[in-house]
Amino acid sequence: MKISSLYKMEKTVLSFEVFPPKATSPIETVYNTLEQLCDLKPDFISVTYGAAGGAKSHCCEIASRIKNIHGIESVAHLTCISNTKNEIKNILNEFNDNGIENILALRGDIVPGQPRCTDFKFASDLTAFIKSSSRNFDVCGACYPEVHSESSDEVEDILNLKKKVDAGASSLITQLFFDNNAYYSFLKRAKIAGINVPISAGIMPVVNKKQIEKMVSMCGASLPAKFAKIMQRYGDNPEAMRDAGIAYAVDQIVDLISNGVDGIHIYTMNNPYVARTIYNSIKNLL
Ligand code: FAD
């Protein structure tokens, strides 16, 4: 099933994100996590590609397992920063052979000192390439409520996002954010720019202090005062921090659903306990 059709149903689309284990770990180490997440029957699960050190080669296998063994729709992430057109063509064939119908098309981060391929400059180039292939993939794109770090301002950022949608992205998933007002302002800019595709809100339940420090430095999400207070009070108490992080995420999600969000995308960090606890709090609201 194409994920764009999920957004046409009269409900809030719920999705999870997982990452593959590192190349040095056996792929089986993620199987139990997948089983527990699939038991919650989300509308789809997306699988990262090379993010946070996860093996790129496992992405297809995991996305295939989610779909073909667990019966949950999957989305395979794909970055193009270091691939030639030919390499991407081969990956698309592999996705297609494994029954994968949905791709989150990304450029990937520029890492100083790491080789870059010039076949694709931006995610919009990859999106257009996938849409022009003979395979009938649904393409999703990434977007940034608090503006991508390389964009000079909100206007440039939203105009570039429009190019991605015009190239064929039929839905978008946001970078994580902790301040819903940043998301609502972004939605207004998207509307003004003529972006009319569904936009799922990316929510990361922060369950420990180290994780939040890493995330904020990696993606530049701003921390509202309310969240900073939680960190200050519970940062050194792992159980309390976990519960407070889950409660904060649930509070964000309730507000988003009440305001008619298209979808909620939970960055699960491969933690089924956290996903299940959040799911149980919001399942009747979707
Ligand atoms: P692009 O859309 O290409 O944007 C990159 C920059 O270029 C932006 O500043 C944009 O404004 C600008 N730009 C875009 N198009 C143009 C244009 N035509 N002309 C001029 N400027 C332009 N990384 C991974 O490695 N693996 C993953 O699995 C992964 N999953 C992710 C999932 C989500 C939901 C999100 C939000 C991010 C994910 N990332 C992942 C991180 C992502 O690769 C980085 O944020 C990367 O820096 C940008 O990727 P992009 O696809 O948004 O790039």
Side-chain angles (χ1 to χ4, degrees):
M1 185 191 270
K2 306 279 188 279
I3 63 158
S4 52
S5 65
L6 292 169
Y7 290 101
K8 292 181 184 137
M9 296 174 186
E10 293 284 301
K11 73 183 284 283
T12 311
V13 170
L14 176 70
S15 54
F16 295 153
E17 183 170 302
V18 295
F19 54 82
K22 289 189 175 26
T24 47
S25 304
I27 189 166
E28 290 79 13
T29 53
V30 80
Y31 284 1
N32 185 262
T33 299
L34 295 181
E35 202 172 316
Q36 292 189 59
L37 291 176
C38 289
D39 275 352
L40 301 176
K41 304 264 176 285
D43 294 298
F44 68 87
I45 297 181
S46 79
V47 186
T48 65
Y49 186 83
K56 289 180 181 173
S57 54
H58 290 333
C59 173
C60 180
E61 204 177 331
I62 292 173
S64 167
R65 190 175 176 88
I66 290 167
K67 177 161 184 168
N68 301 312
I69 294 189
H70 296 292
I72 300 291
E73 198 45 68
S74 65
V75 174
H77 296 204
L78 179 61
T79 61
C80 58
I81 193 155
S82 57
N83 291 98
T84 62
K85 284 190 175 170
N86 242 340
E87 286 165 345
I88 292 289
K89 221 181 204 170
N90 290 337
I91 296 170
L92 295 182
N93 285 339
E94 194 192 353
F95 285 170
N96 186 65
D97 293 346
N98 281 277
I100 293 162
E101 295 180 64
N102 304 287
I103 298 175
L104 175 50
L106 298 145
R107 184 199 65 188
D109 279 323
I110 297 172
V111 182
Q114 266 188 20
R116 240 193 112 166
C117 181
T118 50
D119 279 14
F120 301 95
K121 207 165 171 203
F122 301 110
S124 51
D125 302 323
L126 176 63
T127 301
F129 185 79
I130 297 171
K131 291 309 285 182
S132 70
S133 82
S134 55
R135 316 298 192 186
N136 183 21
F137 290 111
D138 215 36
V139 179
C140 173
C143 59
Y144 303 84
E146 296 183 83
V147 178
H148 187 265
S149 57
E150 291 164 42
S151 296
S152 55
D153 58 31
E154 295 168 337
V155 175
E156 183 190 309
D157 198 63
I158 211 77
L159 292 177
N160 286 335
L161 182 62
K162 177 73 165 66
K163 291 177 194 162
K164 196 177 325 195
V165 172
D166 289 346
S170 53
S171 62
L172 299 168
I173 298 177
T174 75
Q175 180 61 281
L176 64 95
F177 59 87
F178 301 105
D179 178 0
N180 286 1
N181 287 327
Y183 175 78
Y184 298 136
S185 303
F186 166 75
L187 285 190
K188 282 187 196 149
R189 295 196 296 278
K191 202 166 179 188
I192 291 167
I195 295 171
N196 297 312
V197 298
I199 304 178
S200 268
I203 299 296
M204 174 167 289
V206 174
V207 293
N208 67 62
K209 198 176 170 182
K210 226 168 129 193
Q211 179 196 1
I212 181 73
E213 281 160 1
K214 192 171 164 199
M215 282 306 147
V216 168
S217 77
M218 264 173 71
C219 71
S222 57
L223 280 187
K226 188 175 159 185
F227 196 90
K229 277 254 157 62
I230 291 175
M231 291 274 302
Q232 219 176 1
R233 189 167 173 103
Y234 303 115
D236 296 321
N237 178 342
E239 275 193 358
M241 186 61 223
R242 182 197 63 196
D243 291 351
I246 290 173
Y248 190 90
V250 169
D251 190 40
Q252 264 193 291
I253 294 170
V254 171
D255 178 67
L256 288 162
I257 296 177
S258 309
N259 279 283
V261 70
D262 297 310
I264 299 289
H265 185 71
I266 300 180
Y267 293 98
T268 70
M269 302 303 284
N270 291 12
N271 187 328
Y273 170 83
V274 171
R276 194 178 336 109
T277 309
I278 292 179
Y279 174 78
N280 284 334
S281 301
I282 62 160
K283 64 183 176 198
N284 297 323
L285 316 181
L286 297 167

